[in-house]
Amino acid sequence: MVLWLFYGLSALVVVLDQWSKQIAEAAMDLGDGFVVTSWFNWALAYNEGAAWSFLSNAGGWQRWFFVVLSIAVSIALVVWISRVWRNEKVLALSLALVLGGAVGNLIDRVLYGHVIDFIQWHYNGWYFPTFNVADMSITAGAAVMIWCSFFGSESSVAANSEQ
């Protein structure tokens, strides 16, 4: 496996994220939604804050704060992937997923001043915050990193088996 495959995965996440957001905006107006199942809706929402609308009503400064933070995190992830991909492919995969999601949402913040969300889960009157493909990628990448921290990655498994 080569390094560019991890960056390619990140790029694929960005493309899928931006494509799905364009479809959602073309199909719905802000605040509109479509019931898909008893627990799942398509619902267009704009998030000017971070996860779960954190700081969404902060007056506008948060846009550029999150832009700068996203750029810094993305650069750190690019460097981190380049350092671990040979020995820790699962970690590099998880970092690539987080990188793709971070860049997908970064593009929204720069271009529109908000992140476009359109996936909504709900149950019995309780609604999970609306999210998007970038958010799913970040969550999946973080989950894999947590898994690796508890159960080890390739390098830690190899090191333990040599002892």
Side-chain angles (χ1 to χ4, degrees), residues 3 6 8 14 16 22 27 35 48 55 57 70-71 79 95 97 101 111 128 151 159:
L3 178 60
F6 295 104
V14 171
L16 290 174
Q22 288 177 359
V35 175
E48 295 181 6
L55 294 177
N57 295 320
S70 294
I71 291 169
V79 171
L95 296 171
L97 290 170
L111 294 180
F128 189 80
F151 300 105

Side-chain angles (χ1 to χ4, degrees), residues 1 7-9 52 64 69 77 92 99-100 102 111 128 142 144 151 153 162:
M1 189 172 285
Y7 297 133
L9 174 60
W52 298 287
W64 299 110
L69 182 63
L77 289 168
L99 175 61
L111 294 180
F128 189 80
V144 171
F151 300 105
S153 60
E162 291 174 7

Side-chain angles (χ1 to χ4, degrees), residues 99-111:
L99 175 61
V103 171
N105 284 339
L106 171 63
I107 290 169
D108 285 8
R109 287 187 200 288
V110 169
L111 294 180

Side-chain angles (χ1 to χ4, degrees), residues 6 11 13 34-36 48-49 51 62 67 75 87 89 95-96 108 111 117 119 122 127 139-140 143 145-146 150 160:
F6 295 104
V13 168
F34 299 103
V35 175
V36 179
E48 295 181 6
Q62 74 277 16
V67 165
I75 291 168
N87 298 322
K89 290 179 178 32
L95 296 171
D108 285 8
L111 294 180
D117 292 326
I119 302 168
H122 58 93
Y127 287 80
T139 302
M145 276 191 271
I146 291 168
F150 282 110
N160 289 336

Side-chain angles (χ1 to χ4, degrees), residues 32-48:
D32 283 351
F34 299 103
V35 175
V36 179
T37 70
S38 62
W39 51 269
F40 174 72
N41 296 340
W42 296 118
L44 185 62
Y46 296 154
N47 182 359
E48 295 181 6

Side-chain angles (χ1 to χ4, degrees), residues 5 9 27-28 42 56 61 66-67 70 72 85 100-101 106 123 134 148:
L5 289 174
L9 174 60
M28 295 177 278
W42 296 118
S56 63
W61 65 266
F66 289 128
V67 165
S70 294
W85 74 273
L106 171 63
Y123 176 75
C148 287

